[in-house]
Amino acid sequence: MRTSITLPLVHKREVPTQFKDDDNRFAESLVEYFLKNYTQKGDIVLDIFAGLGTTFFVAEEMERIPYGVEYLEDRYLYIKEHVKSKDNIIHGDALKLLEYQLPKCDFCLASPVYMNKEDTENPYTACETNGSYEQYLEDTRRIYSYVKEIMKPDSYIVIEVSNLKRNGVVTTLAWDIAKTVSEVLHFEGEIIVNWVGNGSEKEDGIYNYGYDHSYCLVFRNK
Ligand SMILES: C[S@@+](CC[C@H](N)C(=O)[O-])C[C@H]1O[C@@H](n2cnc3c(N)ncnc32)[C@H](O)[C@@H]1O
């Protein structure tokens, strides 16, 4: 397994204006890298935080079969409108994953909503309820215990995530998620993704959150 890769932080697909202020999509290059190296044509690829559908779009382009869940209705509708496999996107909650009729999957790639350790709103309810960082990590562990149930034996599960720097305080989000999800899935190790862009370097890091890199945490359903 390569433990450090360099990828372009470029979004090939334009999104409607309504999503531009909260555009936290994968770069297509990330999805392409993992689908090329971890899957084959015809494989079922799961994204439990489907967002604006990057995993869906790239999977269809690469002749994989995407399935996924998205909490926000406008994002869900955007994906549904633009993909071929319209029945495979579910408007739902990853914390209810086992209530949906999902098939056994070959590969899972997803990036959760992020949370700083001092935040007090629950990002898994679109910040509509109160929460704590401890609860968020526990929910993340619970979600991945459900993912385990629907993955094929020996399949890979990849979580893309960054640590977060805000006002001089670092939340070790990537490391905390690695630790908590390791309680339910076998942790194979991390891949550092060094992001390169074609614009000027951003003060907050090219990736954002104070960093130029993120982590892909690679787990296996053993
Ligand atoms: C970092 S974004 C994912 C972006 C995605 N990888 C893409 O390329 O478009 C995380 C997504 O998780 C969704 N989300 C938040 N809470 C959720 C939940 N409980 N269940 C499912 N999705 C959730 C958010 O609405 C957001 O769209």
Side-chain angles (χ1 to χ4, degrees), residues 31-204:
V31 185
E32 285 162 8
Y33 177 85
F34 280 97
L35 295 194
K36 180 167 179 276
N37 289 288
Y38 287 77
T39 69
Q40 300 183 334
K41 279 186 187 175
D43 277 359
I44 298 180
V45 174
L46 176 67
D47 186 342
I48 53 167
F49 307 113
L52 291 167
T54 317
T55 305
F56 268 75
F57 297 130
V58 177
E60 288 190 340
E61 278 160 24
M62 294 179 69
E63 298 177 53
R64 278 65 169 167
I65 303 162
Y67 277 83
V69 178
E70 172 52 43
Y71 189 84
L72 293 176
E73 188 175 22
D74 56 353
R75 290 170 175 245
Y76 153 79
L77 289 171
Y78 172 79
I79 297 175
K80 201 173 177 71
E81 185 184 346
H82 290 94
V83 293
K84 284 181 255 164
S85 35
K86 296 190 187 301
D87 293 338
N88 297 5
I89 177 70
I90 293 156
H91 179 214
D93 181 348
L95 280 155
K96 298 181 180 161
L97 202 60
L98 298 183
E99 294 179 15
Y100 311 127
Q101 302 302 312
L102 287 160
K104 287 277 178 190
C105 297
D106 295 288
F107 182 66
C108 178
L109 173 64
S111 180
V113 274
Y114 293 175
M115 183 172 192
N116 284 279
K117 64 184 176 188
E118 70 271 24
D119 289 347
T120 55
E121 291 162 337
N122 180 357
Y124 285 135
T125 61
C127 295
E128 283 168 359
T129 59
N130 292 334
S132 67
Y133 188 64
E134 289 66 32
Q135 184 61 49
Y136 166 82
L137 290 177
E138 167 56 22
D139 284 348
T140 307
R141 189 196 61 76
R142 198 147 60 90
I143 288 168
Y144 277 92
S145 74
Y146 302 151
V147 168
K148 182 179 170 66
E149 297 287 310
I150 53 175
M151 297 302 295
K152 291 184 184 170
D154 281 336
S155 56
Y156 286 95
I157 297 99
V158 175
I159 305 176
E160 199 253 357
V161 62
S162 172
N163 289 331
L164 312 172
K165 273 184 208 165
R166 191 171 69 185
N167 303 330
V169 176
V170 175
T171 297
T172 54
L173 179 66
W175 302 338
D176 296 339
I177 287 185
K179 187 162 182 281
T180 198
V181 175
S182 295
E183 290 167 22
V184 292
L185 288 165
H186 176 77
F187 185 41
E188 300 258 314
E190 75 278 16
I191 300 177
I192 298 167
V193 186
N194 300 296
W195 292 106
V196 288
N198 50 14
S200 55
E201 303 261 314
K202 287 200 281 180
E203 197 181 311
D204 197 22

